Amino acid sequence: QVPLIVSGGGSVQPGGSLRLSCTASRFTFSDYWMYWLRQAPRKGLEGVAMISSGGADSYYSDTVKGRFTISRDNAKNTTYLQMNSLKPEDSATYYCAADSRPLRLGSGLNSYEYKYWGQGTQVTVSS
């Protein structure tokens, strides 16, 4: 069983919104930082948002700041990514990940840096 299950992707027009969910199992969710990352075709992995284990602290990459919001519900073992004002350049496969450490966001990341990794969901922004 995959420890992180992602849902909520799809197709949307520019300016639209989507909400992604990531539900954890098989580990103590409330002990981990949660991350949202994405990978566009022919591009590397980019970390776009992260939230602390208790939810008090959140951080964003410059590419999504002001448009995306990460949140979590520890009672439901779930983290969310609310994506507003979507742009065509947001089109990518989105992943969630978990780690006990606060890791950096941005480009040039690798999946092996994270303790737990989920399957991806496709987000397409196109008119």
Side-chain angles (χ1 to χ4, degrees):
Q1 184 180 1
V2 178
L4 295 168
I5 302 295
V6 179
S7 62
S11 296
V12 64
Q13 292 186 340
S17 298
L18 281 174
R19 188 196 197 202
L20 306 183
S21 299
C22 172
T23 300
S25 61
R26 294 167 54 200
F27 66 95
T28 305
F29 180 76
S30 58
D31 286 347
Y32 287 79
W33 285 79
M34 295 302 298
Y35 299 83
W36 284 99
L37 306 99
R38 66 186 183 186
Q39 187 164 21
R42 298 174 299 280
K43 292 191 176 180
L45 194 62
E46 178 191 15
V48 299
M50 59 189 283
I51 188 167
S52 59
S53 58
D57 300 305
S58 57
Y59 304 93
Y60 301 90
S61 66
D62 289 342
T63 55
V64 307
K65 193 176 297 180
R67 300 187 297 121
F68 290 12
T69 302
I70 188 171
S71 61
R72 66 189 295 159
D73 184 340
N74 284 350
K76 296 182 178 180
N77 288 352
T78 300
T79 187
Y80 305 96
L81 186 68
Q82 178 66 43
M83 305 185 293
N84 297 330
S85 303
L86 282 162
K87 305 175 182 179
E89 51 263 43
D90 294 318
S91 297
T93 301
Y94 283 71
Y95 302 90
C96 74
D99 201 274
S100 60
R101 304 163 294 168
L103 302 173
R104 69 175 182 89
L105 296 175
S107 60
L109 302 177
N110 291 282
S111 59
Y112 60 73
E113 298 182 53
Y114 304 87
K115 176 72 172 179
Y116 297 105
W117 186 260
Q119 94 289 6
T121 189
Q122 181 66 38
V123 171
T124 302
V125 185
S126 174
S127 56

